[in-house]
Amino acid sequence: MKKVLPEPDRSKMADSIIAEYFQNTNHRTIMLTGFDEQLRRRQELVEIIDRMEAEKKQVEQKLKIYLGDAEIAENEKFMVSWKSVSSNRIDTEKLKTEEPETYKKYLKSTQYRRLSVQAA
């Protein structure tokens, strides 16, 4: 039974199916045709998102300065919290150095294809 590719619909499911269908590469290069306008728009979107992320970061920094050592600030429309969070993680570099066999035993390798877009 032949696999049917989904229409690009922005869903995670479509991403997953496309990635699975084309998980292997044959290392060839093909001519890119018919995408100039879409790639120009993609670049515009990247630039807009970058500006918006920078503006968001600035608002967050202002909020942190306002909160100071308080955990929560609230009004009738918003509640903002800036709480301490603890996290425990494996120090993989130390494990690799001190217990290389254990490191290798639990090492999980994954493979995927990364899409990269650059202007020529």
Side-chain angles (χ1 to χ4, degrees), residues 90-104:
I90 303 282
D91 183 342
T92 55
E93 289 304 313
K94 187 174 182 180
L95 181 62
K96 190 188 314 183
T97 302
E98 295 180 9
E99 299 289 338
E101 291 306 313
T102 302
Y103 175 80
K104 287 178 189 173

Side-chain angles (χ1 to χ4, degrees), residues 1-4 21:
M1 186 171 160
K2 189 175 180 179
K3 293 183 182 179
V4 177
Y21 191 87

Side-chain angles (χ1 to χ4, degrees), residues 6-66:
E7 283 296 315
D9 64 1
R10 305 175 186 175
S11 71
K12 289 182 181 183
M13 179 64 80
D15 276 343
S16 178
I17 292 169
I18 293 167
E20 182 180 332
Y21 191 87
F22 295 110
Q23 64 186 326
N24 298 314
T25 176
N26 63 13
H27 304 287
R28 67 188 170 112
T29 300
I30 62 173
M31 182 59 86
L32 181 64
T33 58
F35 283 92
D36 286 357
E37 188 59 31
Q38 291 174 55
L39 288 168
R40 185 197 60 72
R41 178 61 179 151
R42 182 187 181 280
Q43 186 57 40
E44 275 180 15
L45 291 169
V46 166
E47 292 167 6
I48 291 167
I49 290 167
D50 286 348
R51 285 193 307 270
M52 293 175 82
E53 287 288 342
E55 183 179 346
K56 176 184 162 198
K57 177 63 77 180
Q58 184 179 27
V59 170
E60 290 170 351
Q61 290 170 347
K62 287 178 181 181
L63 284 166
K64 289 175 182 178
I65 290 169
Y66 182 82

Side-chain angles (χ1 to χ4, degrees), residues 65-101:
I65 290 169
Y66 182 82
L67 279 158
D69 61 0
E71 276 195 352
I72 297 173
E74 56 189 355
N75 64 22
E76 60 280 344
K77 295 181 183 174
F78 298 98
M79 197 250 330
V80 177
S81 67
W82 186 27
K83 298 182 178 185
S84 297
V85 177
S86 294
S87 166
N88 294 313
R89 298 194 175 135
I90 303 282
D91 183 342
T92 55
E93 289 304 313
K94 187 174 182 180
L95 181 62
K96 190 188 314 183
T97 302
E98 295 180 9
E99 299 289 338
E101 291 306 313

